[in-house]
Amino acid sequence: MKKIELLSPAGNYEKLEMVYNYGADAAYIGGKLFNLRAFADNFNDDELEKAVDLAHKLNKKIYITLNVIPHNEDLKIMPDYIKYLDSLNIDGVIVADMGVFQIVKENSDIPINISTQASNTNWASVKMWKELGAKRVILAREVSIDEIKQIKDKVPDIELEAFVHGAMCMSISGRCLLSNYLTGRDANRGACAQPCRWKYYLMEETRPGEYMPITEDENGTYIMNSKDLCTIEFLDKMIESGLDSLKIEGRMKGIYYAATTTKIYRQAIDKYYSGNWNFEQKWLDDLMTISHRNYTSGFYFKKPGTKDHNYDSSSYKHTHKLVGKVIKDLGNDHYLIEIRNKLSVGDQVDIIKPLGDPIPIKFPKMQDNKNGENIDTANPNTIAKIKSDIKLYEKDIIRKKIKKVQ
């Protein structure tokens, strides 16, 4: 049985290393041009080449996003950029626009994946893309599991991909003009200001300047603020729907989010293919530790209703925070730790590895790596040296429970 692909986001090279280390089969990244995450770090040309080398050295796949909805001026340099990407031997590009699709075909042999932005919700449109030469269609977020099965039955000879975790857009397949209208930042060219997450007021046309709040409670009401997608509880049904790839959203998220989501979905996929599937509560518990909005099953079983929006807040919640990352094994049980948030000797923390459950420990004595002095507390953006009885490896991460759940 061909195992389904786990596809993770990487907004920069560090995140790429982390998702591969924590179990992703493939990653999707953006270059400096033509991708819908203009405010991610993204990859310059040197970094793109380094990223492709890393992926193929690890026998992983890498896809580049070209999913903007372009205007005429965007097309001037696109052919040369596509020829450059073709020279890198990437595994595919993700495109949303038919014009971009045609330019890729005319200037390269790169396999083309059709973006969720193209709003494919039925088998006929998927069949059309297949006949035009697409290798894969990333289905719209608005399809149900039953519809995925129907599409696969009608068009069995094209790859299908769908999102399994991450932020949801209140607009159909993310094709939204709200940000452009209110801020001048074009969501369809990678610069969304997320005005759907804002708090709004009503004003009656004959009473200008009199603003009436839309309130659910004392915190206000965020009328367009969708919950985040989470499919871990029914991942077996996602796999059995006929999909070829399961995609995690979040190129703008940090390394703790990237590592944790990848690890948990990796564990669930492997459990399914072991022939002994059952949902494990610890998976969802770990997904609660990362920064997220309340979770929803999206459109997979029904059209989302009022309970699938956050009306009281646009903020994220999480139970844990990243405090450190192992960056070097010095030998003799000594390690260098890159400090990401304030960390003190004696703090109760968890060691997170690509395999296995979190390992709870009290953080040991540490030294400042610059001067070798013993320190009780390390601050962000510093390097500490520790001795550990537990074998650590580069890219193991250290998390700490926050005192007040946010």
Side-chain angles (χ1 to χ4, degrees):
M1 184 186 300
K2 182 182 176 183
K3 206 169 189 178
I4 202 164
E5 177 184 84
L6 176 60
L7 176 58
S8 293
N12 59 32
Y13 190 81
E14 181 189 25
K15 295 173 191 176
L16 183 69
E17 289 184 308
M18 294 299 286
V19 298
Y20 284 153
N21 193 55
Y22 280 78
D25 300 305
Y28 62 102
I29 68 175
K32 293 295 186 182
L33 300 172
F34 309 123
N35 87 89
L36 280 185
R37 289 295 181 268
F39 301 121
D41 291 340
N42 294 316
F43 292 71
N44 62 34
D45 289 354
D46 289 340
E47 290 167 334
L48 282 176
E49 294 168 22
K50 186 179 176 185
V52 175
D53 286 344
L54 174 68
H56 294 164
K57 186 183 298 181
L58 297 173
N59 199 28
K60 310 277 189 176
K61 291 186 176 180
I62 192 161
Y63 306 113
I64 309 296
T65 54
L66 288 176
N67 52 349
V68 294
I69 308 301
H71 290 255
N72 289 333
E73 64 267 23
D74 298 317
L75 303 182
K76 295 175 183 177
I77 62 171
M78 188 174 285
D80 287 339
Y81 187 65
I82 289 167
K83 289 174 184 176
Y84 167 71
L85 294 180
D86 194 23
S87 73
L88 299 181
N89 194 31
I90 61 176
D91 296 289
V93 289
I94 300 170
V95 307
D97 178 80
M98 290 195 74
V100 177
F101 179 88
Q102 187 61 28
I103 293 171
V104 173
K105 285 187 68 176
E106 290 173 352
N107 291 276
S108 77
D109 294 315
I110 304 173
I112 305 175
N113 298 347
I114 305 304
S115 172
T116 191
Q117 297 284 120
S119 305
N120 285 285
T121 58
N122 62 78
W123 65 264
S125 64
V126 172
K127 183 172 182 288
M128 179 208 72
W129 282 115
K130 185 206 74 158
E131 292 173 351
L132 288 173
K135 182 180 181 182
R136 175 183 296 186
V137 170
I138 306 162
L139 295 171
R141 284 179 170 91
E142 295 78 33
V143 298
S144 68
I145 288 178
D146 285 341
E147 287 172 323
I148 295 172
K149 292 178 180 178
Q150 293 163 12
I151 292 169
K152 193 65 175 181
D153 286 342
K154 290 280 190 179
V155 197
D157 49 352
I158 189 170
E159 294 181 4
L160 298 179
E161 176 182 311
F163 283 91
V164 291
H165 195 94
M168 296 280 283
C169 182
M170 64 90 193
S171 187
I172 298 294
S173 294
R175 297 290 287 266
C176 183
L177 297 176
L178 193 60
S179 176
N180 206 336
Y181 178 74
L182 292 176
T183 71
R185 285 166 47 177
D186 193 340
N188 300 310
R189 298 171 84 185
C192 185
Q194 293 195 325
C196 56
R197 312 293 185 186
W198 299 352
K199 185 187 294 187
Y200 285 88
Y201 294 84
L202 293 175
M203 185 180 71
E204 201 272 322
E205 64 178 346
T206 64
R207 290 182 284 175
E210 293 185 30
Y211 299 98
M212 293 170 280
I214 308 169
T215 57
E216 181 80 9
D217 57 24
E218 66 275 9
N219 297 315
T221 295
Y222 298 79
I223 58 176
M224 294 180 283
N225 185 35
S226 174
K227 294 181 179 180
D228 283 358
L229 176 66
C230 179
T231 67
I232 196 68
E233 294 180 82
F234 55 92
L235 198 71
D236 57 328
K237 293 180 173 58
M238 297 296 293
I239 295 172
E240 292 167 359
S241 69
L243 291 168
D244 297 275
S245 181
L246 304 178
K247 187 173 195 173
I248 297 169
E249 183 276 339
R251 279 191 285 151
M252 299 283 286
K253 303 289 180 62
I255 64 166
Y256 179 55
Y257 171 96
T260 300
T261 53
T262 300
K263 175 181 176 176
I264 296 306
Y265 280 90
R266 175 81 276 152
Q267 287 183 347
I269 291 169
D270 290 347
K271 185 70 180 282
Y272 176 85
Y273 285 99
S274 75
N276 187 32
W277 167 263
N278 62 288
F279 164 71
E280 297 188 21
Q281 182 61 40
K282 66 180 182 180
W283 296 337
L284 184 58
D285 292 343
D286 259 359
L287 292 174
M288 290 294 186
T289 69
I290 61 176
S291 180
H292 69 286
R293 301 179 182 92
N294 291 334
Y295 287 134
T296 174
S297 59
F299 288 77
Y300 286 127
F301 296 105
K302 59 180 178 58
K303 291 183 178 179
T306 57
K307 293 182 179 179
D308 295 289
H309 281 71
N310 286 331
Y311 293 113
D312 58 347
S313 172
S314 65
S315 62
Y316 289 87
K317 60 175 66 176
H318 58 287
T319 61
H320 291 69
K321 62 183 177 181
L322 174 73
V323 291
K325 173 187 169 187
V326 179
I327 59 172
K328 190 171 184 179
D329 182 349
L330 298 172
N332 299 319
D333 301 327
H334 285 82
Y335 305 91
L336 291 184
I337 308 296
E338 186 176 59
I339 306 299
R340 295 297 182 94
N341 277 292
K342 186 177 179 181
L343 182 58
S344 298
V345 173
D347 281 351
Q348 188 67 44
V349 299
D350 294 326
I351 305 295
I352 308 298
K353 295 173 169 290
L355 299 175
D357 293 334
I359 304 171
I361 66 165
K362 283 192 174 180
F363 198 73
K365 295 178 182 178
M366 55 181 164
Q367 296 175 323
D368 187 309
N369 188 53
K370 282 186 176 180
N371 55 33
E373 293 180 358
N374 291 331
I375 52 175
D376 293 325
T377 298
N379 292 313
N381 302 315
T382 59
I383 306 295
K385 180 180 176 181
I386 67 166
K387 184 178 186 297
S388 172
D389 296 330
I390 298 168
K391 178 63 178 175
L392 302 178
Y393 296 90
E394 288 183 21
K395 302 181 188 64
D396 287 352
I397 54 181
I398 303 164
R399 75 180 186 193
K400 179 181 174 182
K401 191 170 186 178
I402 59 176
K403 292 181 180 179
K404 182 179 179 182
V405 176
Q406 296 177 354

